[in-house]
Amino acid sequence: MAINDTTPAAPAPQDEPAGGNGNNARASWNISLDDLQKNISHAAAEAQELLSWCFLWCIDDMHPVSLAEFALQVHSDKTTISRIIRGTYIHPETKVRLPIGDKLVKAMRTFRELCTEGARTARKDFVLTPTARRMFTACDLARESRSPVFLIGPSHIGKTWSLIEYKERNNHGHTVYVRMAAASGLMGMVRAIAESLGISDKSATPALVGRIKTALKKRPNTLLIFDELHQLMYTYRKQSFFACLEVLREIYDHTEVGIVLCGTELLFKSIKDNRSDLEQLLRRGVHRVVLPDQPSRGDVAAICEHLGLDMPEKGFSVTVKVGGVSFTDEPYAILKQIGKEEGLKAITERLRYAAKFAKKGEESIAWSHFVRAHLTIRQNATNENDWN
């Protein structure tokens, strides 16, 4: 689980990972992955693999890098990189495509090492909780079996952060994360897949599905992670949802890549209730990983341990003052209640707020800070009328 939110710095929302200027960076790389790979097919295998990796890394909204910035990072210039990826880096007389030089290959190798190490450092606050570990297992099962795996769990238990963390840890470029938007429909889903694969979405839907199949055929060890898949249900046409899942089944049958289908219990219920329409997809998805209906005690304990807090015992209470009034409460009971009613975000935000109180008092974080944070949040949500 991500606990960026447990530090005093302003966090990214639990289910909205920060993106940055990804669209601007993507626009500067005005080419699709399949065209790029075609244009550098004459180069040595390592050069092809490195440049494809760098392209996918740079257009990723999680860590966008423009073409000009990338050129500086690999000690080249924008014009040269642009010519290489477009297939116009040619000998002036023979017009034969020039190889990608050893210096550039070495620089791209270093770029990849620095990027992956930097990303690991930036994600140091991620905690591999028991629930996150189950999500990692679902992804491993899909990759190993090269089959669809259903990952079912409620909102606000850290699914999105955990799946993105898995993507970042596992063979970038061959683990593809696709997040579904509400009411996107078939066209929106197909375009989202294409964008995540680095394919231009400037095609009609059937043609784009064909390009996706072709791209995945070239990358048989790819894992596709579809997050928030239940969002596809919220369309004005019921058949659109079935069409989306049928296209996913078609893509899988053609490519046999691993697929993780992540959504709420409502998604799986809808699939089971319409078994006759979705029978083929269900039969292919042998593995089904069901997550707990709220953050588990183990999840909370792992996050607390990361912050230097021991999990509180049942019945343990602390007394704090909020607004000049003394309150006594039990941290364990608070954690259990808000975890059940509001989810993981409500817990991590209270821990972040507690860390802020501790820092302000130049103290180590303690459960008294957590209770104070909890009571302050509750007090802020109360409509106080000073006329009463």
Side-chain angles (χ1 to χ4, degrees):
M1 305 296 181
I3 60 162
N4 307 51
D5 353 26
T6 62
T7 62
Q14 179 69 24
D15 292 317
E16 293 286 350
N21 64 338
N23 289 336
N24 293 335
R26 178 65 182 100
S28 71
W29 292 83
N30 190 20
I31 194 169
S32 64
L33 179 62
D34 43 350
D35 285 338
L36 181 150
Q37 291 176 329
K38 181 173 61 178
N39 294 340
I40 62 172
S41 58
H42 65 287
E46 185 186 13
Q48 292 185 50
E49 192 271 332
L50 280 169
L51 189 49
S52 296
W53 187 94
C54 291
F55 168 76
L56 289 168
W57 177 273
C58 292
I59 67 170
D60 193 319
D61 280 353
M62 292 298 294
H63 28 65
V65 180
S66 70
L67 180 63
E69 291 170 326
F70 171 72
L72 288 173
Q73 290 284 333
V74 294
H75 314 296
S76 185
D77 61 88
K78 180 181 177 182
T79 300
T80 299
I81 299 298
S82 182
R83 286 175 177 170
I84 290 173
I85 66 176
R86 295 182 191 292
T88 58
Y89 187 56
I90 59 178
H91 191 282
E93 296 176 359
T94 64
K95 307 302 180 185
V96 174
R97 289 180 186 172
L98 296 171
I100 297 175
D102 292 341
K103 285 181 64 176
L104 181 54
V105 169
K106 183 179 179 181
M108 290 193 295
R109 196 183 300 131
T110 301
F111 176 83
R112 178 164 66 178
E113 291 169 357
L114 291 174
C115 285
T116 51
E117 180 58 36
R120 277 193 294 269
T121 302
R123 301 192 309 273
K124 64 182 181 297
D125 284 328
F126 180 86
V127 179
L128 188 56
T129 62
T131 296
R133 203 178 292 277
R134 283 177 63 81
M135 289 186 250
F136 279 28
T137 297
C139 294
D140 287 338
L141 286 170
R143 187 189 299 280
E144 294 162 5
S145 65
R146 294 175 66 173
S147 67
V149 171
F150 290 99
L151 179 60
I152 308 300
S155 299
H156 302 298
I157 58 168
K159 295 195 302 296
T160 292
W161 278 111
S162 296
L163 292 174
I164 289 176
E165 178 69 15
Y166 183 91
K167 180 204 75 168
E168 293 293 305
R169 290 189 184 193
N170 290 272
N171 196 9
H172 186 82
H174 289 279
T175 300
V176 180
Y177 173 86
V178 186
R179 185 172 181 179
M180 296 294 100
S184 58
L186 179 59
M187 180 180 292
M189 183 194 77
V190 172
R191 285 181 172 173
I193 299 170
E195 182 180 346
S196 298
L197 288 169
I199 299 170
S200 171
D201 63 0
K202 309 301 182 188
S203 299
T205 299
L208 201 49
V209 171
R211 295 185 72 183
I212 289 168
K213 291 177 183 177
T214 300
L216 290 173
K217 269 289 192 180
K218 296 177 182 177
R219 298 151 66 184
N221 61 337
T222 296
L223 171 66
L224 290 176
I225 300 174
F226 293 97
D227 192 12
E228 304 283 357
L229 200 63
H230 54 275
Q231 297 282 16
L232 294 174
M233 298 169 59
Y234 306 127
T235 64
Y236 64 93
R237 287 193 310 114
K238 180 181 178 182
Q239 292 305 314
S240 177
F241 172 62
F242 300 140
C244 288
L245 294 185
E246 180 61 18
V247 166
L248 292 182
R249 195 271 312 160
E250 181 185 335
I251 290 172
Y252 166 72
D253 282 352
H254 189 83
T255 63
E256 292 190 343
V257 298
I259 296 178
V260 174
L261 303 169
C262 178
T264 63
E265 180 62 35
L266 185 62
L267 166 72
F268 197 54
K269 182 178 185 303
S270 180
I271 293 174
K272 288 191 294 185
D273 289 349
N274 295 277
R275 194 176 185 94
S276 59
D277 294 300
L278 301 171
E279 180 73 22
Q280 294 187 70
L281 185 61
L282 278 171
R283 285 181 176 273
R284 287 158 176 77
V286 175
H287 296 288
R288 297 164 192 179
V289 178
V290 180
L291 304 175
D293 58 6
Q294 69 181 82
S296 70
R297 186 186 184 283
D299 295 340
V300 177
I303 293 172
C304 291
E305 181 182 356
H306 182 81
L307 293 169
L309 283 169
D310 292 327
M311 188 70 178
E313 296 291 334
K314 287 183 180 179
F316 167 71
S317 64
V318 293
T319 301
V320 298
K321 278 191 174 182
V322 178
V325 180
S326 293
F327 296 91
T328 300
D329 217 327
E330 298 180 6
Y332 187 96
I334 294 172
L335 290 167
K336 184 177 180 180
Q337 180 183 2
I338 63 175
K340 181 178 181 179
E341 295 177 356
E342 302 177 50
L344 189 64
K345 173 66 176 178
I347 293 175
T348 58
E349 177 55 21
R350 282 163 174 77
L351 288 168
R352 184 201 67 81
Y353 210 1
K356 182 178 179 179
F357 285 141
K359 184 177 181 181
K360 186 176 181 180
E362 298 183 349
E363 303 167 334
S364 298
I365 187 171
W367 286 111
S368 58
H369 299 118
F370 174 81
V371 171
R372 182 184 171 192
H374 170 69
L375 292 172
T376 302
I377 289 171
R378 288 290 171 91
Q379 188 177 71
N380 289 340
T382 301
N383 181 13
E384 294 184 354
N385 187 339
D386 62 0
W387 286 97
N388 295 328

